[in-house]
Amino acid sequence: MIKIKVFEGDLEKNIEVETGASLLEIARKAGDTDAVAAKVNGRLRELSFKLFSDATVSLLSITSNIGVDLYKRSISMLMLKSARDVIGGNDDDYRIEIMYSLGSGFFCRITGCKRDIRITDELLEKIKVRMNELVARDIKFEKKTYSTRDMREVFNARNLPGKAELLKYRRSSRINIYELDGYQDYYYGFMVPSTGCLKAFDLVKFADGFVLVIPLKGTMELPKEYKPQKSLYSILNGAEDWGRQIGISQVGELNDAIVEGRTNDLILIQEALMEKQIADIAEEVVKNDKRIVLIAGPSSSGKTTFSNRLSVQLRTMGKKPHPIAMDNFFKERENTPRDAEGKYDFECIEAMDLKLFNDTMTDLLNGKEADMPTFDFVVGKKIFNGNMLRLDADDVLVVEGIHALNPESTESLPKESCFKIYISALTQLNIDEHNRISTTDTRLLRRIVRDARTRGHSPQRSISLWDNVRAGENKNIFPFQDEADAMFNSAIIYELSAIKIFAEPLLFSVPEDSEEYYEAKRLLKFLDYFLGIDVQSVPNNSLLREFIGGGCFDI
């Protein structure tokens, strides 16, 4: 017998089990029927894992952050297996690609067709019925180990070149493959124990594909009505088309370009595209005679570099931009709202002195001179040092802040004078046909590298704060992205190969006994898919320089 200390949230139980008992058996003996994975002495394990010595086990539910990741991968494989059962045909007749996140779901397409396969409501309903049948059967996700070389041949034969190319750069000669009722696939990360865990999903026809709708984070509930974000889709679809045009839409193709010595060309092409997109936005501002440009986006989107590069483009068109940080319009510390824990809530819109901001912007638009404040974060007060500003005919205010797109921020300003821009790193690259690259992971890696370089923050600190950062974004930024007049995608197709050399040493430094260890190891495994590149060829005005350093802007 072995002794197991079991944690379910804050609840602790001590139990004894037979040597060699699985984590699933341990969870059931502890009375937990909802666990989908567990941490054993701090290391993440699937419930099929067996224990042969005393251990501390933390059970994880499907609504935990890790459980959500397991759900996403597992529901994707269930959908692919069910679609194969419904559509039938040979392995190389077609493929279903999981393209990118679109709200509370994943946009998918059927590609590589050798016969006429049309996405209809009737087809999606049949696939849903098959998914529910497999859920009712509660089939296990089985993990098996195969030769990497053999699986490359299998994926090539199945018309999945992205998976085959990815495995070409895998160092290990063996690979773990998941099997579901005879259907095999490769996934980046663990699965839930069985299909019985996957009870909430939907399939919704959209554009030239469909959306696999998943539960809202932290729940097992689907959104009441799935509404695809059309502007976001347009940006993502455009980025995907561009990636295909240059022959790089998946990690294996990026690695091929690096091996073949095409890195410098790739950098030049990406930076030229980004410069053109910024110039196009500047032209819109000038053409429509906008006097105030308002920029917002989630953390580590590159807002500061974008603002600087937009200002440069405005100058080339005869305008004189004036950068304005909304942070300088915070309320005095004693008037700052507090959150549920009694801490100052600097991210809520109520922390902003919106009356002063609107009054100041109105005065400037009316040709008056305004005293521009600087917020002293040490004493918690706005300081007025006689920084006077008056707008001439060709002057433009470039305002950056997390609430810049919120209509409350500009409620007394004339709409015809404002131009709002939403910026985010909307990754156009995927690991392979069925494994997405999360935009969130890209931004987290940017933040880890930047904060270590500029603020002296450890990677543990950056990781530990990330959930709170994302919660603030969900409340204060994402709901207002459709207010934007323009959207700018700051993702850089080569950036993960560049940032890898900065991020890996930081992630390796995270202690094994820390709460952030699992996330650090997950990111390290993710970066292992990429070949690294020399960053000397990255231009000093590149948006990437905001994070890795060596840029020409004062940030």
Side-chain angles (χ1 to χ4, degrees):
M1 300 291 285
I2 56 176
K3 296 179 179 179
I4 309 295
K5 183 181 290 185
V6 181
F7 287 93
E8 299 173 82
D10 295 329
L11 183 63
E12 178 183 339
K13 295 181 181 179
N14 292 287
I15 63 174
E16 289 189 358
V17 295
E18 295 286 341
T19 302
S22 71
L23 288 171
L24 181 60
E25 293 169 323
I26 291 169
R28 298 300 178 259
K29 185 163 184 178
D32 190 329
T33 58
D34 296 325
V36 293
K39 287 185 178 179
V40 179
N41 299 329
R43 294 189 65 182
L44 185 66
R45 300 292 189 185
E46 290 176 297
L47 292 188
S48 58
F49 185 78
K50 296 180 179 180
L51 297 184
F52 295 91
S53 60
D54 297 350
T56 298
V57 173
S58 298
L59 298 173
L60 301 169
S61 74
I62 203 132
T63 56
S64 65
N65 285 344
I66 292 173
V68 169
D69 287 341
L70 268 65
Y71 195 98
K72 290 176 180 178
R73 286 188 287 271
S74 305
I75 198 68
S76 296
M77 187 171 184
L78 175 64
M79 180 273 292
L80 292 165
K81 155 67 178 170
S82 300
R84 172 64 64 183
D85 290 350
V86 170
I87 299 173
N90 298 320
D91 275 346
D92 64 347
D93 273 356
Y94 64 93
R95 61 177 173 266
I96 296 178
E97 295 192 42
I98 299 174
M99 312 299 297
Y100 36 74
S101 178
L102 200 60
S104 56
F106 303 132
F107 179 72
C108 309
R109 280 200 184 101
I110 298 179
T111 62
C113 293
K114 293 183 180 179
R115 55 193 173 97
D116 186 22
I117 302 173
R118 298 183 182 181
I119 297 173
T120 63
D121 291 333
E122 291 76 15
L123 175 63
L124 295 180
E125 185 59 34
K126 289 179 181 178
I127 295 172
K128 282 194 291 183
V129 168
R130 181 57 178 160
M131 291 174 73
N132 280 313
E133 290 173 352
L134 297 177
V135 169
R137 288 171 55 190
D138 197 23
I139 306 169
K140 288 184 179 179
F141 286 91
E142 297 186 77
K143 183 163 64 177
K144 299 180 179 180
T145 302
Y146 293 92
S147 157
T148 302
R149 178 178 293 181
D150 289 348
M151 290 311 301
R152 278 192 65 200
E153 294 177 0
V154 168
F155 288 135
N156 268 322
R158 286 176 54 186
N159 194 22
L160 295 170
K163 287 185 184 289
E165 281 297 290
L166 185 74
L167 297 188
K168 183 168 76 173
Y169 296 98
R170 183 176 172 84
R171 292 183 174 90
S172 174
S173 61
R174 309 290 291 175
I175 185 172
N176 291 325
I177 297 293
Y178 282 95
E179 186 171 304
L180 178 63
D181 196 32
Y183 178 82
Q184 292 181 323
D185 208 348
Y186 172 71
Y187 284 92
Y188 156 56
F190 291 157
M191 294 289 198
V192 300
S194 62
T195 56
C197 302
L198 306 173
K199 296 178 179 177
F201 58 84
D202 198 5
L203 300 177
V204 177
K205 189 176 183 302
F206 176 66
D208 59 345
F210 65 94
V211 176
L212 171 59
V213 184
I214 59 175
L216 299 168
K217 186 173 181 180
T219 75
M220 278 297 289
E221 298 177 1
L222 295 175
K224 291 182 180 179
E225 180 184 1
Y226 177 76
K227 294 182 179 180
Q229 297 162 300
K230 294 181 180 179
S231 56
L232 184 61
Y233 167 77
S234 178
I235 292 290
L236 287 165
N237 195 50
E240 174 213 333
D241 285 346
W242 178 76
R244 291 186 185 279
Q245 287 170 16
I246 65 170
I248 300 176
S249 58
Q250 294 167 355
V251 173
E253 294 168 330
L254 174 62
N255 289 338
D256 284 344
I258 294 169
V259 168
E260 294 163 8
R262 294 188 280 124
T263 305
N264 194 54
D265 284 347
L266 184 61
I267 291 173
L268 291 172
I269 292 169
Q270 171 71 88
E271 296 298 334
L273 173 68
M274 195 163 277
E275 195 64 41
K276 180 182 183 303
Q277 291 171 336
I278 296 172
D280 288 345
I281 292 174
E283 188 174 341
E284 281 292 305
V285 171
V286 173
K287 182 177 69 176
N288 293 291
D289 195 27
K290 301 296 184 178
R291 305 300 306 279
I292 302 179
V293 176
L294 298 118
I295 303 167
S299 173
S300 304
S301 293
K303 295 182 288 294
T304 306
T305 299
F306 171 79
S307 298
N308 277 284
R309 288 177 64 170
L310 179 66
S311 294
V312 170
Q313 288 292 339
L314 290 170
R315 289 191 188 103
T316 68
M317 299 175 187
K319 297 296 182 180
K320 185 179 179 182
H322 297 274
I324 305 289
M326 282 190 74
D327 283 0
N328 285 324
F329 289 86
F330 270 122
K331 288 179 179 177
E332 270 56 39
R333 187 68 42 82
E334 63 267 21
N335 298 321
T336 302
R338 295 178 183 265
D339 60 20
E341 297 178 359
K343 298 177 181 178
Y344 288 115
D345 187 353
F346 296 110
E347 294 195 347
C348 68
I349 195 167
E350 291 79 14
M352 304 301 301
D353 190 343
L354 293 182
K355 184 179 186 307
L356 177 63
F357 177 75
N358 278 266
D359 288 349
T360 303
M361 297 301 109
T362 299
D363 284 348
L364 291 170
L365 289 175
N366 291 333
K368 298 179 181 179
E369 191 173 51
D371 192 355
M372 305 302 293
T374 300
F375 196 85
D376 188 326
F377 287 90
V378 176
V379 299
K381 292 183 181 295
K382 290 185 284 292
I383 307 298
F384 293 87
N385 291 320
N387 180 21
M388 308 305 293
L389 178 64
R390 186 195 301 272
L391 295 187
D392 293 329
D394 291 325
D395 289 3
V396 178
L397 299 172
V398 180
V399 180
E400 178 196 335
I402 64 173
H403 299 292
L405 301 188
N406 189 327
E408 287 187 48
S409 296
T410 53
E411 60 182 352
S412 66
L413 301 181
K415 289 186 177 181
E416 63 272 15
S417 297
C418 298
F419 191 87
K420 296 183 177 183
I421 302 170
Y422 175 76
I423 174 173
S424 189
L426 304 169
T427 310
Q428 65 266 54
L429 198 67
N430 281 336
I431 295 175
D432 59 34
E433 290 88 353
H434 302 154
N435 288 273
R436 303 165 34 256
I437 291 178
S438 166
T439 292
T440 301
D441 282 349
T442 302
R443 292 194 293 114
L444 175 55
L445 286 165
R446 285 179 171 186
R447 186 181 176 105
I448 288 170
V449 170
R450 181 199 64 194
D451 286 3
R453 180 178 62 83
T454 63
R455 302 176 185 178
H457 287 180
S458 68
Q460 297 101 288
R461 176 176 170 79
S462 296
I463 293 171
S464 69
L465 293 174
W466 191 238
D467 279 347
N468 287 336
V469 170
R470 293 187 65 193
E473 294 168 350
N474 288 331
K475 179 181 178 182
N476 300 311
I477 297 175
F478 296 141
F480 305 107
Q481 57 187 334
D482 287 337
E483 296 287 330
D485 300 293
M487 298 183 77
F488 179 76
N489 186 2
S490 68
I492 298 171
I493 202 164
Y494 64 84
E495 72 175 282
L496 289 167
S497 290
I499 215 163
K500 171 188 175 89
I501 61 174
F502 299 92
E504 284 185 334
L506 294 168
L507 294 169
F508 275 118
S509 74
V510 176
E512 289 190 28
D513 60 353
S514 71
E515 287 290 324
E516 295 74 35
Y517 179 72
Y518 162 73
E519 185 69 352
K521 292 293 289 184
R522 186 186 69 81
L523 291 170
L524 281 168
K525 180 183 177 184
F526 169 59
L527 288 172
D528 203 39
Y529 290 119
F530 296 83
L531 297 181
I533 62 171
D534 186 345
V535 301
Q536 287 188 345
S537 297
V538 177
N540 64 0
N541 72 335
S542 171
L543 190 140
L544 187 60
R545 290 291 180 185
E546 182 171 330
F547 306 99
I548 66 174
C552 61
F553 297 117
D554 184 16
I555 296 175

